[in-house]
Amino acid sequence: SVFGNEKPWVIPYVKDFYRTNTHSSNLYWGSSLLSLCDLAEQKGYCFIGTNSAGNNAYFVKKGKEKELKSLTAEQGYTMSKYRESRNEEGGLTFISGNERLQAIKGCDVYNTRKNKIEKI
């Protein structure tokens, strides 16, 4: 949820990636919902929503969704409620919303639509 629903971003692959060692905030990890929806589309799935905590997204094989409505990343996005960000000493900072993205500004992300590395 930190990356939101507008940018097609994922963390660049690093074999021994460990988020706490990579950025002290503990926020630099994962994928944007938009990138997950793009991948699901390529694999034949449709996005049907997120949970109320904003930390899980749900996809169903196309043709099996029955009464479930296919959503866009924007329609189904829920900002996450958990607040586990940390400061450089490891203490919890409890930042939320867009403040989290600001905390990792300048970090590399892979744009899955442009197929290139860019900065947050």
Side-chain angles (χ1 to χ4, degrees):
S1 175
V2 172
F3 292 137
N5 63 351
E6 297 175 359
K7 303 284 187 180
W9 288 344
V10 299
I11 297 299
Y13 176 76
V14 174
K15 184 179 179 181
D16 59 346
F17 180 83
Y18 180 62
R19 70 179 176 150
T20 305
N21 291 343
T22 304
H23 196 274
S24 62
S25 69
N26 240 13
L27 296 171
Y28 182 64
W29 59 279
S31 171
S32 70
L33 182 58
L34 183 58
S35 283
L36 290 173
C37 288
D38 286 350
L39 179 61
E41 179 69 26
Q42 291 171 16
K43 301 287 185 179
Y45 288 80
C46 60
F47 171 58
I48 59 166
T50 56
N51 67 339
S52 62
N55 63 338
N56 288 302
Y58 301 97
F59 303 88
V60 175
K61 190 78 169 163
K62 287 184 179 181
K64 302 287 185 182
E65 62 269 32
K66 297 183 182 175
E67 69 277 352
L68 299 171
K69 181 182 174 190
S70 182
L71 303 173
T72 65
E74 182 179 12
Q75 292 169 324
Y77 177 78
T78 302
M79 186 170 291
S80 60
K81 312 268 187 298
Y82 60 92
R83 299 183 314 152
E84 61 180 3
S85 57
R86 306 217 173 244
N87 60 26
E88 291 183 9
E89 292 79 37
L92 289 167
T93 60
F94 301 108
I95 62 174
S96 60
N98 293 329
E99 274 186 281
R100 297 176 301 177
L101 200 54
Q102 288 301 311
I104 56 176
K105 189 172 182 158
C107 290
D108 287 343
V109 286
Y110 183 77
N111 185 313
T112 55
R113 290 188 174 175
K114 295 179 181 176
N115 295 316
K116 70 176 194 171
I117 300 287
E118 53 191 39
K119 300 278 186 199
I120 294 174

